[in-house]
Amino acid sequence: MLKVEGLHAGYGSVNILWDISFTLEDGEIVAILGSNGAGKTTMVRAVTGMLKPASGSVSFNNEEMAKKNSRMILNSGIVQVPEGRQLFTEMTVLENLQMGAFNKETKIHFQDNLKKAYQWFPKLEERAKQAAGTLSGGEQQMVAVARALIGEPKLLILDEPSLGLAPNIVDDILQVASTLAKNDGISVLLVEQDITKALAAADRGYVIENGRIVLEGTASELQANEHVKKAYLGI
Amino acid sequence: MSMFLQACVNGLLMGGFYSLMGMGQNIIFGVMKIVNFCHGEMLMVGMYLTFILYTFFGIDPYLAVPIVAVTMFCLGSLIQHTLITPSLGTKSFTNLLFLTVGLGLLLSNGALVIFGSEYRSIRTAYSQTYIQLGPVTMALPRLISFGVLIVVTVALFAFLKYTTIGKQIRAVSQNPVGAEVVGIDVKKIYILTYGLGIALAGTAGALLTQFYTIFPTAGASFGFRALIVVVVGGLGSIPGAFLAGIFLGLLETMSALFISPSYSDLIVFMTFIVILVVRQTMIARRK
Ligand SMILES: Nc1ncnc2c1ncn2[C@@H]1O[C@H](COP(=O)(O)OP(=O)(O)OP(=O)(O)O)[C@@H](O)[C@H]1O
Ligand SMILES: [Mg+2]
């Protein structure tokens, strides 16, 4: 279970996140919603140790993460599919997936996890020997998700999986996330600008504006919320 | 004909050195996006290390190669950890320019203070042994160096392609953010990469000692050629640097053979300029 409390973070002297608090239960899908520059990716970076929080606490299964480095946080089971995918474009698909096995345990389980990843995304097996940079955007996103799954996440963070992708591919990827949450008890933190899609997949959600959480609720509450409708759904 | 073959072999040999230097430079550039302006001086340090090991400890220059490589690796790692990594944090390219140029000056002047400006050389019992290979005659040290260069180059490619550390080095150079996402310790890779690049330069130095004179600025021409190799072969590209190095070596010996040895530097630099201009116009056209 993830519990973020009073998180402040920023770059250098510029503070971006103000007093961010939210929770995420096992097997739950929680959406973090917000428009361009709201601070969503900054929040992901602070939770995954790629950015040291200025203050606040990030506790995962009752362990404090805020002081740990990204590798230690990865080891405790928080794995992200980063914004923009961040693949190794000149490596093959298979090599990219191998890079996802970051410790002894995941290296030992690699073949099993690879088989599972290929079941989720059969396209990737056909493309295993191809350089990742030559894949289509949707296929690259699949590689990024598969690479994260190879790392055996307990908490999977998806940072804007919809970015630049066709709607049906986004649905596929969200479908995989839902199934993982339901069947394997993996928690999913879904960071999105596409609020309609995100709320269709999520159990609950939080809305970030200017680095602050301004709204929270269940998916249906947020869908019905006047502010959300006006500001984000254009209704 | 035999002159031509002889020049080919010599060109390949020198090309092997340029490749090794260029590949080291490019591994460093790929990972940290910095140009290591003291690469040639590191080759010179490798030469003097070999010289010391031979003169004072009686260690054969080829047996010295692994010792030199390991020592240079440690030196490189130390420099990375104490000097370069902290400067990378400032994101100032002038800082890093001054840092590596300054290190180069420090090393060549340090060598001048310690060893003086005399030309030194290593002459072993087999320095003057010649081997006849069909139409080509080669001094034994050149032949051995040639063999070692091939082994080191193949090993380097295999290392980068198949080992975990090698893959991590490629990962960091292709996508540093992605590397952090999959838990690669980027700072550790910096240290290993710079150590490796410097070890390759030192190895090149050690392999040169029996047929190249050792003096404080002996590395300069190699350092400069490494830069040419990097620019011609493509910044950060290891296969590119390999091919460009071989090409440069062949170009040098062929122009010495067919035109005149005194023009070979001129021709090398002219070709370099022509390649730059052609490439620039091609890039401009594409836009
Ligand atoms: N490396 C950085 N250095 C300084 N400021 C940054 C950096 N990265 C992001 N910012 C700033 O932080 C703010 C929040 O950016 P962030 O990337 O977290 O937004 P986001 O919600 O993920 O937006 P998007 O939907 O466009 O991805 C922005 O104002 C941005 O300019
Ligand atoms: Mg973002």
Side-chain angles (χ1 to χ4, degrees):
Chain A
M1 193 199 96
L2 180 75
K3 187 168 183 186
V4 175
E5 273 183 303
L7 186 71
H8 286 75
Y11 303 94
S13 57
V14 186
N15 197 60
I16 303 285
L17 298 180
W18 304 87
D19 198 22
I20 299 281
S21 302
F22 64 92
T23 58
L24 174 54
E25 304 292 332
D26 292 344
E28 196 182 24
I29 302 184
V30 166
I32 302 284
L33 310 165
S35 47
N36 276 334
K40 304 181 297 296
T41 299
T42 307
M43 193 267 318
V44 171
R45 295 170 60 87
V47 168
T48 54
M50 292 173 72
L51 182 69
K52 284 275 156 294
S55 64
S57 132
V58 176
S59 119
F60 184 57
N61 293 333
N62 298 319
E63 236 186 297
E64 184 52 47
M65 299 282 132
K67 294 272 172 321
K68 295 190 173 182
N69 66 30
S70 52
R71 196 182 161 76
M72 288 151 78
I73 292 176
L74 204 53
N75 265 314
S76 45
I78 303 183
V79 185
Q80 65 163 313
V81 179
E83 182 176 61
R85 309 184 270 268
Q86 312 297 350
L87 297 182
F88 308 115
T89 48
E90 286 159 51
M91 290 191 193
T92 64
V93 168
L94 182 61
E95 282 177 316
N96 269 277
L97 299 182
Q98 283 168 346
M99 298 308 292
F102 56 86
N103 60 14
K104 254 216 185 93
E105 225 182 329
T106 51
K107 281 197 175 84
I108 294 170
H109 302 163
F110 178 72
Q111 286 305 332
D112 290 340
N113 289 332
L114 181 68
K115 245 184 238 146
K116 279 189 221 160
Y118 283 159
Q119 277 164 13
W120 288 121
F121 306 110
K123 265 249 178 72
L124 298 187
E125 191 165 13
E126 297 164 26
R127 300 294 162 97
K129 292 266 148 58
Q130 197 172 323
T134 62
L135 266 55
S136 75
E139 290 164 346
Q140 289 193 19
Q141 189 68 50
M142 293 175 196
V143 177
V145 174
R147 181 177 72 178
L149 294 182
I150 298 282
E152 303 186 340
K154 296 192 188 106
L155 163 58
L156 180 67
I157 303 182
L158 300 166
D159 193 349
E160 288 204 41
S162 73
L163 201 71
L165 298 187
N168 59 327
I169 293 174
V170 181
D171 292 339
D172 285 352
I173 285 169
L174 292 181
Q175 184 58 47
V176 171
S178 300
T179 315
L180 285 169
K182 243 183 238 114
N183 297 354
D184 302 347
I186 293 178
S187 319
V188 178
L189 192 63
L190 176 59
V191 175
E192 259 303 341
Q193 259 191 75
D194 185 335
I195 293 199
T196 317
K197 282 222 186 298
L199 286 180
D203 301 309
R204 292 187 300 121
Y206 296 82
V207 178
I208 300 193
E209 282 174 12
N210 297 320
R212 287 186 168 82
I213 290 186
V214 294
L215 262 180
E216 61 174 284
T218 64
S220 40
E221 281 166 9
L222 290 176
Q223 277 160 340
N225 183 282
E226 283 307 317
H227 178 70
V228 171
K229 276 187 184 167
K230 246 201 225 125
Y232 297 96
L233 302 174
I235 307 175
Chain B
M1 185 61 196
S2 83
M3 286 252 290
F4 176 72
L5 282 177
Q6 186 81 43
C8 276
V9 171
N10 283 331
L12 285 176
L13 174 68
M14 289 320 282
F17 282 106
Y18 302 152
S19 288
L20 204 57
M21 292 293 284
M23 287 191 290
Q25 180 77 270
N26 251 354
I27 294 172
I28 293 172
F29 183 87
V31 167
M32 284 174 281
K33 310 295 177 250
I34 62 168
V35 177
N36 184 39
F37 285 103
C38 58
H39 216 64
E41 282 70 23
M42 291 296 179
L43 176 143
M44 176 274 299
V45 173
M47 284 179 145
Y48 275 109
L49 265 180
T50 316
F51 177 77
I52 292 170
L53 288 171
Y54 179 72
T55 316
F56 298 105
F57 301 94
I59 298 172
D60 180 89
Y62 290 110
L63 292 180
V65 169
I67 306 176
V68 171
V70 170
T71 313
M72 296 299 285
F73 177 85
C74 296
L75 176 68
S77 305
L78 188 71
I79 291 175
Q80 177 67 42
H81 185 65
T82 55
L83 299 173
I84 302 181
T85 303
S87 321
L88 280 172
T90 65
K91 298 227 186 315
S92 155
F93 286 93
T94 27
N95 269 4
L96 286 156
L97 175 76
F98 283 126
L99 178 63
T100 57
V101 170
L103 266 175
L105 287 173
L106 185 75
L107 290 172
S108 54
N109 286 296
L112 189 64
V113 170
I114 299 170
F115 301 99
S117 60
E118 294 97 277
Y119 288 84
R120 317 257 178 181
S121 55
I122 296 179
R123 292 288 169 266
T124 59
Y126 56 90
S127 281
Q128 302 300 323
T129 308
Y130 288 88
I131 307 280
Q132 189 74 35
L133 293 164
V136 178
T137 316
M138 248 182 133
L140 185 56
R142 284 179 181 260
L143 192 65
I144 300 175
S145 289
F146 196 74
V148 177
L149 279 176
I150 294 173
V151 171
V152 171
T153 305
V154 170
L156 179 63
F157 273 105
F159 169 77
L160 290 171
K161 180 93 183 114
Y162 299 111
T163 67
T164 303
I165 303 278
K167 283 180 192 170
Q168 293 188 339
I169 288 177
R170 283 192 292 145
V172 174
S173 62
Q174 289 172 31
N175 192 330
V177 176
E180 209 185 342
V181 165
V182 297
I184 294 172
D185 185 343
V186 176
K187 289 228 167 86
K188 184 183 95 182
I189 295 301
Y190 284 173
I191 290 176
L192 293 175
T193 300
Y194 197 75
L196 176 64
I198 298 310
L200 292 174
T203 302
L207 292 176
L208 275 168
T209 48
Q210 283 191 70
F211 47 90
Y212 203 87
T213 38
I214 306 167
F215 54 102
T217 51
S221 72
F222 286 94
F224 202 84
R225 278 167 174 74
L227 285 182
I228 297 184
V229 164
V230 162
V231 173
V232 173
L235 280 171
S237 160
I238 310 290
F242 172 72
L243 293 175
I246 299 293
F247 168 73
L248 183 61
L250 286 172
L251 179 71
E252 247 178 39
T253 44
M254 288 305 153
S255 56
L257 176 67
F258 288 112
I259 302 166
S260 152
S262 50
Y263 283 136
S264 88
D265 266 2
L266 180 74
I267 288 163
V268 165
F269 291 123
M270 294 277 283
T271 315
F272 175 51
I273 292 169
V274 168
I275 288 176
L276 278 188
V277 171
V278 168
R279 187 186 293 162
Q280 211 46 49
T281 26
M282 267 163 46
I283 291 170
R285 284 246 177 90
R286 227 176 284 154
K287 282 178 185 162

